[in-house]
Structures are given as C-alpha cells and as structure tokens.
Amino acid sequence: MKFKSPLLSVILASLAAVSTAGALDKTECIAAAKPGGGFDLTCKLVQQALMQGKYVSDPMRITYMPGGIGAVAYNTIIAQRPAEAGTLVAYSGGSLLNIAQGKFGRYNENDVRWVSAVGSDFGAVIVAENSPFKSLKELVAAIKADPTKVVFGAGGSVGSQDWMKAALTARAAGLDPKSMRFVAFEGGGEAITALQGGHVQVYSGDASEAEEQIKAGAKIRVLAVMSDKRLEGSLSGVPTAKEQGMDVEWPIIRGYYVGPKVSDADYKVWVDTFNKMLATPEFNKLRAERGLFKFAMTGAELTAYVKQRVAYYRTMAADFGLNVAK
C-alpha cells in the first residue's frame, strides 16, 4: 500500500523548487563583446524568451565582457566563475573556430558545459549605404585591381570567423587572402560603426546582425549572404554569394554554455527549460524577429555537435596555414 503524507508532499515540492532555483534565480547572460553585435542579439533573445514564457520571475541581466571575441568570457567563466548556475554565456560558430585555433588560451571545447543552440545565422558581405559597390562581383573586381584600396573590417583578427568569411570569398574569386587588408574590431557593433564612418569599406559580418542594425537605422547595405539559398524576411532580395559566382557558404550557430562546475541538476534545469522553449511557436517568432533560422539542439547532442565542428574548424584553419590547437 502506497501512502504519502501531506507533510512529505510539501517537503518534496520544496526540494523541487530549490533544485530549479539555482539555475533560474538571478539569471545573467554574458555577451562576450561590446553591445550591438551577434552576442548581444543572442543574449537579448534568451532574455525576452525566458520572461515572456514566464520561466523566470525577474528579467535576465545582460552584461558585456569584450576581449578576444569570447576569450575573456570563456577564461573568466572557467577559471573564476565555474559554478554559477544562473549564468549563461552566449557563443557562436566563431567561438568554436577560435577554440580550434587555440585563441581561448589553454582551454578547449571540453572545458565548459554546452547547454543549447537556439538558431542559425549566415555570413554576409556588408558595405555602407553610400558605397560604390553594388554587387559582390564589383567588390571582387575592385580588390583584384588594387587590394590595398579596399579595407575589410572584421570582428577579430586574422583567423577569426569574420576573417575566414572574407578569406573564403577571396579564395573563391581567385585572390590571395593574405594580400587583403584587414582592420580588427572587438565585435560586430564596432565594425559596423567603422563601416558607416568610412574607416573601412567592407565588413564580412552576419546576416542577422546586419538586419538588426538596419532596423535600428544603420546606413548599411548587404551585398551577399553566405547561405545555400536566399534568406526570408527583409533580406530576401539579397542574392547569395553562389548566385554571384562565389561558391561560399558560412552557416553560424548561436547558443549558450555554462561553467564547468555547474551541477548536473542545474545543468539539467537549463537543458529542460530550453527544450520546452524551443518547442513553442512563441520562441520561433522571437527567433525569426532577430533574423535567425531554426536550429535547435541541447545537452549531450549539442556537446557532440560542438566537438565535431571544432574538429572541422581545425582542419579548415590548417588549410589556410593558421595556427591550430592541439
């Protein structure tokens, strides 16, 4: 005969509440760059989704931790804040590329707990609204004529995701990526500001951040998207790089990780919460509003995917003669 006293029910309910409070109480999302770029967009997405879905009672706090396109945040979480259950850190495919090249120092893909991937994005070739370049072919022709006169802005230095997108485009056009001029910035927001100011002529950024910046009034134009087919929404009129004769694709996943010492119970709370959120039409709407495409992966499946992508990026980096982490 099974019997559960009212007191035991109260105790069990209290324990359940305590087990979820650690992860979903006083939440924070760290954007590993200055405001305005892809990390910022990723944090604002989860901030709104958690509050709208009533998964948290207080709004998630967003903090900015620029440095090394994610390196400072990665090292800080692992070395100084490894057990903070309520702290998510935004990452992108560019973060995984940097890990593959050892740009996050002595830490690698095995040193954090990968929680969720919530959407995909694609690379984009972006110019100022008043740029003389109206197509990717015109841009490539100008670089061929004189590589020194076309300066690329990149969120990160040589070997970064933005550099890699430009390098792949150059190689597809028969150009030597090492002959191209780059100026490194700390994130997409800073690069787009420089683009509008005329300090650089091209920015090899992300489609979603370009779309968000245009909505916010940025005077920029997208010449090409690095997707297999044209995107939906406000960028539907922008041709792909492939359409313009450059066989280049650059998909980007966006998501979140937590510190290595976050407990299994709190990690499970986050994974379960994202599984619920990602299955809702409300989250699909929020994701689409930010120019992201459907890509949902959590927990063990995501961890395996991340390790596979880092291995792929190590191969790609070696192919370009870049440093590769052992």
Side-chain angles (χ1 to χ4, degrees):
M1 176 177 169
K2 294 182 179 179
F3 174 75
K4 186 186 290 184
S5 72
L7 178 59
L8 180 58
S9 297
V10 171
I11 292 172
L12 290 173
S14 299
L15 287 172
V18 169
S19 70
T20 61
L24 299 182
D25 183 43
K26 295 182 180 178
T27 55
E28 174 187 13
C29 184
I30 295 176
K34 294 180 180 179
F39 289 133
D40 190 11
L41 176 149
T42 308
C43 278
K44 286 176 178 172
L45 171 59
V46 70
Q47 179 193 50
Q48 189 172 354
L50 285 171
M51 202 65 193
Q52 184 174 293
K54 296 183 170 59
Y55 297 99
V56 294
S57 55
D58 297 313
M60 172 175 265
R61 182 165 58 102
I62 296 176
T63 56
Y64 300 93
M65 197 178 289
I69 316 297
V72 170
Y74 205 75
N75 280 264
T76 298
I77 284 296
I78 295 168
Q80 300 173 30
R81 302 166 59 179
E84 290 187 8
T87 302
L88 295 176
V89 187
Y91 74 90
S92 72
S95 308
L96 307 184
L97 177 64
N98 283 345
I99 290 170
Q101 295 177 65
K103 291 190 174 185
F104 283 5
R106 60 195 177 95
Y107 299 118
N108 62 32
E109 67 274 20
N110 301 308
D111 291 313
V112 298
R113 307 196 75 173
W114 303 96
V115 173
S116 179
V118 296
S120 67
D121 195 358
F122 295 93
V125 181
I126 307 161
V127 296
E129 196 173 65
N130 60 359
S131 170
F133 305 125
K134 306 299 182 189
S135 69
L136 190 56
K137 286 185 177 179
E138 288 183 13
L139 172 63
V140 168
I143 298 170
K144 282 182 175 178
D146 188 350
T148 65
K149 288 189 176 180
V150 182
V151 182
F152 278 77
S157 57
V158 172
S160 70
Q161 176 175 238
D162 290 349
W163 181 90
M164 195 70 78
K165 285 178 281 191
L168 286 168
T169 303
R171 193 163 70 175
L175 299 167
D176 179 5
K178 292 178 181 176
S179 70
M180 298 166 66
R181 292 180 61 195
F182 286 88
V183 176
F185 295 98
E186 186 59 55
E190 204 173 88
I192 286 176
T193 299
L195 188 67
Q196 294 176 94
H199 304 294
V200 297
Q201 285 71 55
V202 193
Y203 170 46
S204 47
D206 305 337
S208 64
E209 68 177 332
E211 190 172 36
E212 286 289 294
Q213 291 278 1
I214 291 169
K215 286 178 186 175
K219 304 298 183 183
I220 57 176
R221 183 158 35 87
V222 181
L223 295 185
V225 290
M226 297 177 180
S227 53
D228 59 340
K229 58 185 178 182
R230 291 202 185 195
L231 305 181
E232 298 175 356
S234 63
L235 297 181
S236 59
V238 178
T240 66
K242 280 187 174 182
E243 285 180 75
Q244 300 180 70
M246 315 296 160
D247 189 12
V248 179
E249 290 183 31
W250 192 268
I252 306 157
I253 64 165
R254 296 200 175 278
Y256 316 90
Y257 63 83
V258 294
K261 294 184 180 177
V262 169
S263 71
D264 289 347
D266 286 324
Y267 177 72
K268 186 176 185 300
V269 169
W270 276 123
V271 170
D272 290 347
T273 300
F274 274 103
N275 283 335
K276 289 175 188 173
M277 277 200 305
L278 289 165
T280 65
E282 290 79 12
F283 189 88
N284 287 341
K285 183 172 182 292
L286 291 176
R287 176 170 48 204
E289 285 172 355
R290 284 159 179 78
L292 294 177
F293 296 86
K294 191 169 183 178
F295 187 95
M297 201 176 282
T298 61
E301 183 186 13
L302 172 65
T303 302
Y305 176 85
V306 164
K307 291 180 180 181
Q308 178 267 324
R309 291 303 293 176
V310 172
Y312 168 74
Y313 288 140
R314 284 194 179 104
T315 302
M316 179 181 286
D319 191 38
F320 274 104
L322 304 171
N323 289 329
V324 178
K326 302 299 182 186

